[in-house]
Amino acid sequence: MEHADSIRASTKEHNMVPGHVYRYGTAGFRMSADLLDAVTYRVGLLASLRSRKLSGRAIGIMITASHNPAVDNGVKIVDPQGEMLEQDWEKLATQLVNSRSDGELVELYHQLAKDHKIDLKSPAKVIYGRDTRPSGHTLVAALADALVATKTELVDYKILTTPQLHYLVRATNTAGTPLSYGKISEVGYYEKLADAFLRALRGKKINGRLLVDCANGVGGPKLKEFLKYLSSDRVAFDVTVVNDDVLRPEVLNLDCGADFVKTRQKAPPSPKPVPGKRYCSLDGDADRLIYYWTHPETGFFMFDGDRISSLAASFIGDLVNGAGLRDDLRIGVVQTAYANGASTNYITQHLKLPVLCTPTGVKHLHHAAQQFDIGVYFEANGHGTVLFSPYAIKAFKETPPQSPAQKENLDTLVALSDLINQTVGDAISDMLLVEVILAHKNWSLQDWATMTYTDLPNRLVRVEVDDKDEFQTTDAERRLCYPEGAQRDIDDVVAKYKNARAFARASGTENACRVYAEAATRIEAAELAERVSRIIIRYGRNL
Ligand code: 16G
Ligand code: MG
């Protein structure tokens, strides 16, 4: 039994808090940081198995709770290409973490190795990083204990944004191959982005100042670091970083950040928003992005993931047409049920691009986007990216240009494929993409709003239920298939409204259901959300 003694010894240092059932959810294990020491240790054991299973390729682990309050933390596993952990292994993670005793844990570890034909003597490598939460310190120590006990090579990248860790995993596993993703360092990440940003801009002027709210999280210091790599003689990019206090943990995600802006539909109170200025917000681990501005008369206006997605799809679609590749490359957009119906109509009817709908959670969108040569995916909450297939990148690089204009389009596409993080949604990279597009179009935020579409009024409500897992969905979470009768009741209510849509689903991150409703007016959307919520409460009680 390879590693049995060392695991047994170090397991004793990391005791599970009794009375909890843990599940590897949409964002890995995420909860109050007090409960996470032994969970993180056990995730380390699983990551070592996963690396060995995949011939010693590096597996990533990110310690973050994203937009959650400072007292929470989380741990999630990143697969070798920088993607989310394969779903079958999520179950194994859940099993291993829920082992009831040290003995059971050691036994299950060996059982998994046996079942999956893993040679425990073969090499393994795990690389990891954490956001700015103070609890991250002790959690990475627990993780390191598991890696040492299993004789796994480890690299501690200390404080990183989530997308930076994803970048490093891919860079590590592609180094020295024709698909090399970049230098294996944080500096390599900044250099790649800075170089691609300049190439994509092609000397176009960025108008006015951008104020970036960093949710008092890791995005603040990392964005400031990135800006040092932009030489001021090559680009005038006037950025002011705000809400970047990482020294007082309690202010993380407090009344600021992308999740605050999206869910409250308003600008952070501090610093006081100046009408007409261009703002954006990142979340606590810098993988979500929302733009906004305030109009002197009409007030707050938000550019969420749906708008960033349609902006990117429209710009990239134009470049592909201009490069003469329209008939060669399939471009598609992936959304979830939360996408505003007006954005879906705009993309299908105006941009004439296909739209796929998947369940919530990055892994689902990412996977669907891979079906296209150019797959644009965003959740309404601001998480997303654009994936380019190897075939598309080859076409950008090798198509002989027929004119200077065509060459320019091809070069810009190559630059975008370097600028846009190919592993996961990345707020810093997405922000640079938006800035490039606005500069090319010479658009202000007001132009962006008026030249596209008007959102349908909508409302999102959180509904407390006894057991959210009783609510099961089908059709990309747009319909409930259980409890029986609930969907029929929702359909009856929706039918009473014009241009309306509503759905209910169990949250993947907390014990609650979420209800989303869209209708022709704000009042109707709110009323519909309220009525559907009552249906959920009623069925939640009957179970
Ligand atoms: C997680 C997901 C995010 C999703 C959210 C939904 C990842 C990396 N993150 O934060 O994409 O929008 O969960 O939360 O997949 P909910 O299931 O509680 O509504
Ligand atoms: Mg996040």
Side-chain angles (χ1 to χ4, degrees):
M1 295 253 279
E2 198 70 25
H3 312 145
D5 292 340
S6 50
I7 296 178
R8 217 170 274 125
S10 61
T11 299
K12 288 204 183 70
E13 311 285 316
H14 303 286
N15 295 318
M16 293 297 286
V17 179
H20 291 273
V21 178
Y22 302 89
R23 206 170 106 209
Y24 196 99
T26 8
F29 297 103
R30 190 184 290 181
M31 58 199 73
S32 165
D34 305 346
L35 301 175
L36 274 172
D37 182 89
V39 172
T40 309
Y41 172 82
R42 290 167 179 214
V43 167
L45 297 183
L46 190 85
S48 73
L49 287 173
R50 179 103 183 120
S51 172
R52 289 197 160 96
K53 172 74 192 168
L54 300 175
S55 319
R57 289 200 290 164
I59 295 295
I61 294 184
M62 184 69 199
I63 311 278
T64 177
S66 184
H67 54 278
N68 284 33
V71 292
D72 286 355
N73 215 328
V75 50
K76 67 182 167 195
I77 304 179
V78 180
D79 261 355
Q81 284 302 308
E83 288 151 285
M84 303 285 170
L85 176 67
E86 186 185 291
Q87 281 184 54
D88 287 349
W89 277 66
E90 290 185 0
K91 289 189 207 104
L92 304 185
T94 300
Q95 262 181 36
L96 198 70
V97 164
N98 286 297
S99 299
R100 276 162 308 183
S101 66
D102 295 357
E104 194 179 301
L105 177 69
V106 176
E107 205 173 294
L108 184 57
Y109 171 83
H110 288 97
Q111 190 59 45
L112 292 178
K114 196 164 155 232
D115 293 350
H116 295 268
K117 301 194 174 49
I118 296 166
D119 175 4
L120 292 176
K121 291 204 184 79
S122 66
K125 180 167 185 171
V126 171
I127 73 174
Y128 54 91
R130 60 185 164 93
D131 69 15
T132 52
R133 286 159 213 267
S135 57
H137 254 304
T138 44
L139 297 182
V140 293
L143 178 60
D145 281 354
L147 301 176
V148 170
T150 53
K151 301 204 168 36
T152 302
E153 184 189 342
L154 58 89
V155 187
D156 178 1
Y157 280 101
K158 308 262 169 23
I159 293 179
L160 293 175
T161 69
T162 294
Q164 284 180 326
L165 191 263
H166 286 251
Y167 164 93
L168 287 165
V169 172
R170 178 121 156 202
T172 303
N173 289 310
T174 54
T177 74
L179 293 173
S180 163
Y181 194 57
K183 280 194 208 154
I184 314 172
S185 64
E186 199 181 319
V187 169
Y189 168 91
Y190 298 127
E191 286 175 349
K192 180 172 178 173
L193 247 57
D195 172 65
F197 182 53
L198 293 178
R199 283 188 287 129
L201 266 176
R202 315 193 63 76
K204 301 278 188 305
K205 188 171 166 289
I206 301 174
N207 287 318
R209 171 173 299 173
L210 172 68
L211 291 101
V212 189
D213 154 31
C214 295
N216 294 319
V218 62
K222 300 303 177 185
L223 175 58
K224 284 198 210 145
E225 190 58 29
F226 165 74
L227 293 171
K228 294 184 192 157
Y229 290 78
L230 288 180
S231 53
S232 53
D233 49 331
R234 291 189 63 197
V235 62
F237 188 21
D238 184 1
V239 180
T240 304
V241 177
V242 300
N243 295 330
D244 61 336
D245 180 356
V246 292
L247 297 177
R248 287 184 303 144
E250 66 278 12
V251 294
L252 173 67
N253 295 320
L254 188 70
D255 292 339
C256 59
D259 196 61
F260 173 90
V261 174
K262 174 68 182 162
T263 52
R264 304 283 194 87
Q265 310 212 359
K266 63 180 186 193
S270 170
K272 199 170 173 346
V274 180
K277 287 257 180 272
R278 185 162 83 258
Y279 289 87
C280 68
S281 287
L282 325 184
D283 72 340
D285 64 337
D287 64 356
R288 291 192 194 180
L289 175 71
I290 301 280
Y291 267 70
Y292 50 94
W293 73 308
T294 48
H295 187 277
E297 281 130 42
T298 50
F300 175 75
F301 191 97
M302 175 171 70
F303 301 83
D304 62 2
D306 303 336
R307 283 201 186 263
I308 297 172
S309 156
S310 47
L311 182 76
S314 128
F315 182 64
I316 293 171
D318 287 348
L319 290 174
V320 167
N321 293 345
L325 293 171
R326 180 198 221 134
D327 298 329
D328 281 349
L329 300 178
R330 289 188 61 231
I331 310 180
V333 176
V334 185
Q335 302 184 319
T336 70
Y338 289 113
N340 195 280
S343 76
T344 316
N345 286 342
Y346 174 80
I347 296 164
T348 52
Q349 287 161 27
H350 185 80
L351 303 181
K352 308 233 175 301
L353 293 174
V355 174
L356 298 180
C357 182
T358 72
T360 304
V362 173
K363 61 187 173 217
H364 300 293
L365 289 107
H366 190 95
H367 192 72
Q370 286 173 324
Q371 296 170 30
F372 298 103
D373 292 309
I374 302 175
V376 181
Y377 77 81
F378 273 85
E379 291 191 302
N381 64 25
H383 185 117
T385 191
V386 184
L387 299 182
F388 299 92
S389 70
Y391 178 77
I393 293 177
K394 192 162 183 282
F396 303 158
K397 289 185 174 161
E398 294 178 6
T399 304
Q402 307 295 316
S403 66
Q406 230 179 54
K407 176 164 178 9
E408 231 184 77
N409 287 317
L410 287 165
D411 289 348
T412 309
L413 284 164
V414 174
L416 291 185
S417 70
D418 289 326
L419 178 64
I420 304 173
N421 195 320
Q422 295 297 289
T423 62
V424 80
D426 181 336
I428 295 180
S429 149
D430 288 341
M431 178 191 91
L432 298 173
L433 171 66
V434 170
E435 293 297 312
V436 163
I437 303 177
L438 295 179
H440 272 258
K441 291 184 181 277
N442 196 18
W443 273 6
S444 64
L445 291 190
Q446 183 158 26
D447 297 326
W448 182 5
T450 50
M451 311 270 223
T452 49
Y453 59 86
T454 308
D455 272 322
L456 282 169
N458 59 87
R459 189 62 160 268
L460 180 64
V461 183
R462 182 179 180 281
V463 184
E464 296 273 351
V465 288
D466 288 343
D467 180 5
K468 55 120 182 174
D469 291 327
E470 294 290 344
F471 290 84
Q472 289 163 23
T473 56
T474 173
D475 189 22
E477 301 183 325
R478 288 173 290 194
R479 299 185 64 76
L480 282 174
C481 51
Y482 194 83
E484 257 163 59
Q487 187 59 48
R488 195 193 49 226
D489 290 358
I490 295 175
D491 289 344
D492 288 349
V493 172
V494 173
K496 296 193 167 71
Y497 294 83
K498 214 176 120 218
N499 285 340
R501 183 170 76 91
F503 65 89
R505 58 175 277 276
S507 156
T509 61
E510 50 182 322
N511 187 30
C513 283
R514 299 198 202 287
V515 167
Y516 176 87
E518 229 172 61
T521 66
R522 280 181 83 97
I523 293 175
E524 286 173 314
E527 197 181 278
L528 178 58
E530 175 60 33
R531 291 175 77 171
V532 174
S533 301
R534 284 207 296 267
I535 296 174
I536 297 304
I537 293 169
R538 177 154 52 82
Y539 277 90
R541 276 205 210 105
N542 287 347
L543 292 166

